[in-house]
Amino acid sequence: MSENVVHLHKNTDPPAAEASVTTLTVVPDPAPVKPVPLWVRSGRAIRTAVTHETTKTTVRAVARHGLYTFNGGRIVARRTWEARTPARYERMQRAAEAAGNHEIAAEWEERGQRFREARHRRRMDLLHSPVDAAKGLGVGVGTGVAGLIALGVIMAVNSHDVTDVITPLKAVIDFIATLIYIVQIVTPYAIVLGPLFALLALWAVGSKQQAAPTWALPANVRNGEGEPITPSIVVKALRDLGVPALRNAIKEMGDAGASMLGPIRIAGCGVEVDVTLPSGVSTNEVQQRRRKLAENLSRHEHEVFITIPQAARTVRLWVADSGALDEPIGPSPLVTDETMTANYKTGKAPWGQDLRGDAAALSLYQRHLLITGLSNQGKTVALRSLALWLALDKSVRFLMGDLKGVGDWAMFDGLADTLIQGPTDEHVIQVTEMVEGAVDEMNRRIQAPPGTVFPPLIVLVDEAQVAFMCPAKDDEKRPYGGSKANSRYFMAVRKIHNQGRAVNVLMWQGTQDPTNENLPKLVREGAHTRASLALGTESQARMALGDKAVDGGAAPNLLRPGLDQGTLVLASSGIDIPAGQSSITVRTHYIDDDAAEAITARAKALRDGVTTLHAVEKGVERDRLADIASVVGDATRVRTQDILKRLAVLDAEAYGKWSFLDLKRELDGTGAEPYKSDGVMVVSRDRLDRALANRDAEGSASAAE
């Protein structure tokens, strides 16, 4: 029993008048620490030893090599059984029947029957072989002995020694005795070493086939990173996909599912294989399990693409080499080839590479375009690269509205007829009037004589969702945004979608995070080329690309935001898509602002000079001579036809119906009248400047008087 300790404390606290008091405090001893029982310490030690990484590695190694030997024996036994029985033919016959190939099944049945007949003949021959062997042995021994005696007689005659007659026969008997002696010596060692060599052979077979559970395999094999795609790996991945009908069908197939697979082909930075699904398994059951299939193939989800080819009950798997899709692709030919030009009608824009590593080129001829995706995924750069290529065709004109307004399209100043940049409602109003001006130009072209060929007019609006969501209304209470019948931007886009293609007036739009409100159904379905970068949900993917593309395997919602920037899924007749597929995945080239500036400089050099308008002016009194001078720009002289087109873009209401006679009438008497140069009518910039200067001088003189 422990003793208590007594402490003395003297109270010296105020008040001082009170006598100090000495107090006694009894402090008990601290409770003794109980020793940890031996069984607890032993249990902890055992747990530490069992869970130690060295122990785990040792257990895995022992289990692995033991199972290699055991399963190697199973593999050898199965091979031996198949070699001695018609099991192989029956297995292939069942596989052909499961796949519905009855002709091939009948062929394997016939081969199996021929094997049975040949085996029967061999067995019947074995019944007569002992007698034949005895007869042959007797004849052989007799002939051999007679030969040896004859040889001995010859030796005796030669040596004059009668004992040499049996010398050859004695030599053979001594040789046989030596062989028996050798066998007696080797037999004990063979009894010990023979089974060891047999086990080693079985271990080698099992090791080569990796015949052990995954948990027992080495770490590099368990991880499977970069593991090559083989038929057995694909079949195992499909078997473990979680589709009961597929798993049972593979088990029933004699070839363990190998007949489902087509040839595995190298396709760019990965491989491609067609899988014919057994009856009772639909293609969408495989599509819906993309992540699990990728993991079964030791890949990430974004490294496996599932599409539906033309053949029935077939899925096409494209499996990337591990990590290959994270590597950047090369620069755009627009950057590397400074001599490249474009042709709107016959050419194709070099947009990037498909998953097979082939160049992905897109035809833009008479196709409305829609690109969508989440924010900061490369939408503007992808759209701009198409415009940069098309700008190298000097016949193409651009009307551009950038409703982000951060300078992504600034390099088109001096190249586009109109360039509006900004995110405000006022900018939306100007962009809407620009699109409506394109509608007027479209109507003018439609009324032209049949057979008239018009230069391409690209009406491009980036961040178009800002226009659809704009709440502003005009003086007549018509909304600029929205998707109603009186919504100005919506109706202008719809009109171009309906009739613009025939007269080369095309609508290009870039939007982000699509919904029914910021990207109405009629607008998105009016585009001939629909592309989508990474999106959030499957419903957005259907908005962007349409139901047919998504049902066919298109899945932009499975792209990785931030990691797959510039990678888009494309549905268009303007690009080569493998037969049976409804979409294609493209990794687009990245063209930075400096490279874009250089490309637009080359495009400007192809033209005589374009004066870019930064606002659409309507409903104001026009200074016609000044407007003509503004559309001529810095060029020395401009054809009258080009001047008329530029005036129509400047103000379709004032100049949309102008003809050459109207232009000539306006310039008559100014000193800047049209004249013929190289066989075409042109207007001189210098003459216009003098006409404006003379007019201003006359106006000043009149004011002074």
Side-chain angles (χ1 to χ4, degrees):
M1 182 176 180
S2 62
E3 297 181 356
N4 293 331
V5 180
V6 178
H7 297 274
L8 296 178
H9 297 278
K10 187 174 182 178
N11 186 4
T12 58
D13 293 340
E18 297 181 2
S20 61
V21 179
T22 301
T23 61
L24 296 176
T25 303
V26 179
V27 180
D29 289 341
V33 178
K34 295 182 179 180
V36 179
L38 179 61
W39 66 269
V40 174
R41 287 180 292 175
S42 301
R44 291 174 180 173
I46 293 173
R47 184 178 62 183
T48 302
V50 170
T51 58
H52 196 273
E53 188 61 31
T54 302
T55 305
K56 293 180 180 178
T57 304
T58 303
V59 171
R60 287 195 191 101
V62 172
R64 177 169 67 252
H65 295 295
L67 290 170
Y68 280 169
T69 304
F70 176 75
N71 291 326
R74 294 178 57 191
I75 293 172
V76 171
R78 185 173 65 250
R79 291 176 180 175
T80 304
W81 174 259
E82 290 185 351
R84 304 289 295 176
T85 67
R88 178 182 303 173
Y89 303 96
E90 294 173 356
R91 175 163 52 85
M92 299 303 293
Q93 179 184 346
R94 290 194 301 270
E97 290 175 348
N101 298 324
H102 299 291
E103 294 181 0
I104 297 178
E107 182 180 349
W108 281 111
E109 183 180 10
E110 183 181 352
R111 290 183 182 181
Q113 186 62 32
R114 290 200 298 266
F115 174 84
R116 293 186 184 93
E117 294 175 356
R119 184 182 60 179
H120 177 71
R121 287 195 300 269
R122 290 193 301 271
R123 289 177 176 175
M124 295 302 295
D125 292 340
L126 289 175
L127 296 177
H128 304 285
S129 59
V131 177
D132 295 338
K135 291 180 179 179
L137 180 62
V139 173
V141 171
T143 304
V145 171
L148 292 173
I149 293 174
L151 179 61
V153 171
I154 295 172
M155 293 174 62
V157 171
N158 183 57
S159 63
H160 305 285
D161 186 358
V162 70
T163 59
D164 285 345
V165 174
I166 62 172
T167 297
L169 187 60
K170 183 180 179 182
V172 172
I173 294 173
D174 291 341
F175 176 73
I176 294 174
T178 303
L179 290 179
I180 293 173
Y181 177 73
I182 294 173
V183 170
Q184 289 175 344
I185 295 175
V186 172
T187 298
Y189 298 99
I191 292 174
V192 175
L193 296 178
L196 295 180
F197 283 116
L199 291 175
L200 181 61
L202 297 179
W203 176 89
V205 173
S207 175
K208 185 177 181 180
Q209 297 292 329
Q210 297 288 330
T214 303
W215 62 266
L217 296 176
N220 58 338
V221 179
R222 290 198 309 272
N223 294 338
E225 292 296 335
E227 186 177 9
I229 300 300
T230 62
S232 60
I233 289 177
V234 176
V235 172
K236 186 175 183 299
L238 293 169
R239 185 195 66 194
D240 300 336
L241 201 56
V243 181
L246 180 59
R247 181 180 61 252
N248 295 334
I250 291 175
K251 288 182 178 179
E252 293 174 0
M253 292 181 182
D255 61 349
S259 61
M260 297 192 306
L261 307 184
I264 297 179
R265 304 176 296 273
I266 295 177
C269 57
V271 296
E272 186 178 71
V273 58
D274 287 350
V275 181
T276 302
L277 300 176
S279 178
V281 182
S282 62
T283 55
N284 66 338
E285 289 182 288
V286 177
Q287 283 183 299
Q288 293 170 357
R289 292 168 172 82
R290 177 185 174 188
R291 173 175 294 180
K292 190 170 185 179
L293 178 61
E295 293 172 350
N296 291 347
L297 292 169
S298 300
R299 295 294 190 273
H300 297 290
E301 184 178 11
H302 71 277
E303 294 176 328
V304 174
F305 288 82
I306 306 172
T307 54
I308 309 300
Q310 198 167 4
R313 280 195 298 115
T314 302
V315 293
R316 178 168 294 162
L317 307 181
W318 185 87
V319 185
D321 297 336
S322 185
L325 294 183
D326 296 326
E327 298 293 330
I329 64 174
S332 171
L334 289 172
V335 177
T336 58
D337 185 2
E338 296 184 356
T339 63
M340 175 177 283
T341 58
N343 188 302
Y344 161 74
K345 185 173 183 180
T346 62
K348 290 188 175 183
W351 211 7
Q353 293 180 0
D354 61 17
L355 296 179
R356 295 167 180 81
D358 299 328
L362 178 66
S363 173
L364 304 173
Y365 178 64
Q366 292 188 344
R367 289 179 175 89
H368 301 303
L369 177 69
L370 173 64
I371 298 181
T372 187
L374 297 177
S375 177
N376 196 32
Q377 298 305 308
K379 167 181 55 63
T380 296
V381 173
L383 181 60
R384 189 176 67 183
S385 65
L386 296 178
L388 288 171
W389 176 80
L390 198 55
L392 296 176
D393 183 342
K394 64 180 182 180
S395 67
V396 178
R397 297 165 51 207
F398 293 97
L399 304 179
M400 292 184 168
D402 174 16
L403 293 177
K404 184 190 296 182
V406 295
D408 290 334
W409 298 89
M411 66 285 300
F412 281 86
D413 193 355
L415 187 59
D417 292 349
T418 301
L419 176 60
I420 300 170
Q421 302 178 89
T424 66
D425 290 348
E426 183 61 31
H427 292 102
V428 171
I429 293 172
Q430 293 183 6
V431 167
T432 301
E433 293 175 348
M434 177 190 76
V435 177
E436 290 175 338
V439 173
D440 294 337
E441 170 65 11
M442 177 190 72
N443 293 332
R444 184 187 69 80
R445 294 183 177 191
I446 291 173
Q447 296 171 4
T452 304
V453 179
F454 300 100
L457 176 61
I458 307 299
V459 185
L460 189 153
V461 179
D462 195 13
E463 305 296 341
Q465 76 279 355
V466 177
F468 286 112
M469 300 300 292
C470 178
K473 295 183 179 181
D474 62 12
D475 295 338
E476 299 178 2
K477 303 301 181 182
R478 292 183 303 165
Y480 286 93
S483 58
K484 297 181 179 179
N486 63 343
S487 299
R488 292 181 59 177
Y489 179 80
F490 170 75
M491 291 306 298
V493 172
R494 287 292 300 139
K495 289 176 182 178
I496 294 177
H497 278 175
N498 290 338
Q499 296 179 298
R501 184 188 65 83
V503 290
N504 288 330
V505 177
L506 303 179
M507 192 75 208
W508 290 10
Q509 294 183 97
T511 69
Q512 64 174 257
D513 202 11
T515 64
N516 285 322
E517 289 72 28
N518 64 25
L519 186 60
K521 180 178 180 181
L522 292 177
V523 170
R524 59 182 186 250
E525 291 185 351
H528 304 98
T529 295
R530 300 168 71 173
S532 175
L533 294 105
L535 289 174
T537 64
E538 181 180 329
S539 62
Q540 287 184 317
R542 292 184 180 277
M543 292 180 190
L545 300 176
D547 292 336
K548 180 180 179 181
V550 174
D551 291 338
N557 53 301
L558 297 182
L559 294 174
R560 301 168 299 167
L563 297 177
D564 290 326
Q565 287 182 328
T567 299
L568 52 80
V569 183
L570 175 65
S572 173
S573 61
I575 194 170
D576 295 331
I577 297 178
Q581 294 182 204
S582 56
S583 64
I584 188 172
T585 301
V586 176
R587 303 172 68 196
T588 59
H589 294 296
Y590 177 74
I591 302 177
D592 60 25
D593 291 347
D594 293 337
E597 290 279 2
I599 296 170
T600 52
R602 286 156 43 195
K604 293 172 185 177
L606 298 175
R607 292 164 170 80
D608 293 332
V610 176
T611 300
T612 299
L613 303 178
H614 297 281
V616 179
E617 298 178 359
K618 286 193 172 185
V620 298
E621 185 177 353
R622 311 296 314 191
D623 184 343
R624 296 178 178 179
L625 186 59
D627 285 345
I628 295 172
S630 68
V631 299
V632 169
D634 297 330
T636 304
R637 55 183 178 273
V638 179
R639 294 187 302 175
T640 55
Q641 289 297 325
D642 291 338
I643 293 175
L644 290 172
K645 294 173 184 177
R646 296 176 186 180
L647 288 172
V649 173
L650 178 63
D651 190 339
E653 183 179 353
Y655 301 116
K657 297 181 180 180
W658 265 35
S659 65
F660 173 75
L661 293 177
D662 296 313
L663 177 62
K664 183 176 182 300
R665 186 181 304 113
E666 183 64 32
L667 295 177
D668 281 345
T670 62
E673 295 85 353
Y675 64 96
K676 185 171 289 188
S677 174
D678 295 331
V680 295
M681 298 300 293
V682 299
V683 174
S684 169
R685 173 71 206 188
D686 292 338
R687 296 183 181 182
L688 282 171
D689 290 341
R690 287 196 297 270
L692 286 171
N694 293 335
R695 187 187 66 176
D696 294 341
E698 293 175 358
S700 299
S702 300
E705 293 177 357

